Amino acid sequence: MSNGKKKALVVWGGWLGHQPEEVAGLYRGILEAEGFEVEVSDTLDAFADKEKLLSLDLIAPNWTMGQIDGGLVQNVLAAVQAGVGIAGTHGGMCDSFRTNVDWQFMTGGQWVAHPGNDGVEYVVNVKHSSSPLLDGIDDFVVKSEQYYMHVDPAVEVLATTRFPNPNVPGPHTTNKSVDMPVVWTKRWGAGRVFYCSLGHQANIIAMPQVTEIMRRGFLWAAEGKARADAAAAQGAGAYTGMSDSIV
């Protein structure tokens, strides 16, 4: 890139109840504060130019309950496999396209329920794991939708929440308690995938803890592109020794 900046693409749309435009604006602010050149688009056609996607460092999708042409998904998958990072929140990344299993396979999970709907108070428990990405962030309370998800067992779980919530009745409460992933990372080829299930609306993304989680996630995901490019230039093929350091 001529200006030396990392490039990010934010794509928003779908169900307007998630305030996708407002959340996209918060994404843009976080990224620009970190020196990214940011393009924001409100159309899935932003995924049509595969070569352009391959030139990015980061894709930040924020599209809920949509329908998408399979070819557009394959372009995104190819870009991430080549090293472009992808990071997002809530339904904007893991309830984007309910009928596209390829998207779900890449992102690492799919929303299936939020017992009690919006306004449920719950604790986000930060895990001590092999990743330092959330180091220094303490457990915190959120009042929002509590996402129950189907999750790829290959993900690295960085934060969880407990189900069932004692304040929320439902048929799921007769099962044993489970720690549901809230924040995770995974790999897709040479690319880095980061997800946080928080963010029903913009006020949740604007919480200091969530803003910091996403700042770190964006940086971590975007870092993978340079590492993958460097490994390819050295003839090393797909880079597999990527650390979880925050740039």
Side-chain angles (χ1 to χ4, degrees):
M1 291 171 53
S2 59
N3 62 11
K5 289 187 174 183
K6 286 186 169 68
K7 293 197 295 185
L9 172 66
V10 178
V11 180
W12 66 268
W15 185 59
L16 295 181
H18 277 162
Q19 299 179 339
E21 183 174 13
E22 293 87 343
V23 171
L26 293 175
Y27 285 3
R28 181 174 196 160
I30 294 169
L31 290 164
E32 288 184 339
E34 294 296 331
F36 281 76
E37 177 183 314
V38 183
E39 177 184 348
V40 178
S41 175
D42 64 354
T43 173
L44 293 175
D45 289 341
F47 297 147
D49 188 338
K50 181 179 177 180
E51 293 306 312
K52 181 178 179 179
L53 296 180
L54 288 165
S55 74
L56 300 172
D57 296 279
L58 178 70
I59 298 169
N62 190 38
W63 200 289
T64 305
M65 291 187 288
Q67 297 290 327
I68 190 170
D69 179 81
L72 298 181
V73 171
Q74 292 306 312
N75 287 346
V76 177
L77 267 61
V80 177
Q81 185 174 348
V84 179
I86 188 166
T89 58
H90 203 63
M93 182 162 141
C94 283
D95 192 24
S96 294
F97 313 112
R98 293 180 183 177
T99 61
N100 194 289
V101 293
D102 292 329
W103 181 271
Q104 295 164 20
F105 192 17
M106 175 188 63
T107 57
Q110 172 62 37
W111 169 83
V112 293
H114 41 58
N117 301 313
D118 196 12
V120 172
E121 186 169 285
Y122 61 97
V123 178
V124 175
N125 299 113
V126 178
K127 290 176 61 68
H128 298 288
S129 68
S130 62
S131 169
L133 265 177
L134 301 194
D135 283 0
I137 299 176
D138 296 326
D139 296 351
F140 59 99
V141 175
V142 176
K143 193 170 184 180
S144 182
E145 289 181 343
Q146 187 180 25
Y147 259 25
Y148 199 99
M149 306 190 72
H150 289 170
V151 180
D152 184 345
V155 304
E156 171 99 14
V157 179
L158 307 187
T160 62
T161 188
R162 178 61 61 93
F163 279 95
N165 188 312
N167 300 314
V168 180
H172 66 295
T173 60
T174 52
N175 294 304
K176 67 179 181 179
S177 294
V178 295
D179 291 320
M180 179 60 56
V182 172
V183 181
W184 68 70
T185 62
K186 65 172 290 187
R187 303 298 205 274
W188 186 260
R192 295 178 171 194
V193 179
F194 181 90
Y195 176 70
C196 173
S197 72
L198 304 171
H200 175 60
Q201 293 187 330
N203 66 312
I204 301 299
I205 300 293
M207 291 177 62
Q209 300 95 328
V210 183
T211 296
E212 179 62 12
I213 286 170
M214 292 313 301
R215 184 189 75 83
R216 296 185 190 188
F218 286 147
L219 292 173
W220 176 83
E223 182 189 9
K225 175 65 178 305
R227 291 174 177 264
D229 288 348
Q234 295 170 5
Y239 187 80
T240 57
M242 296 180 284
S243 72
D244 282 352
S245 61
I246 305 166
V247 295

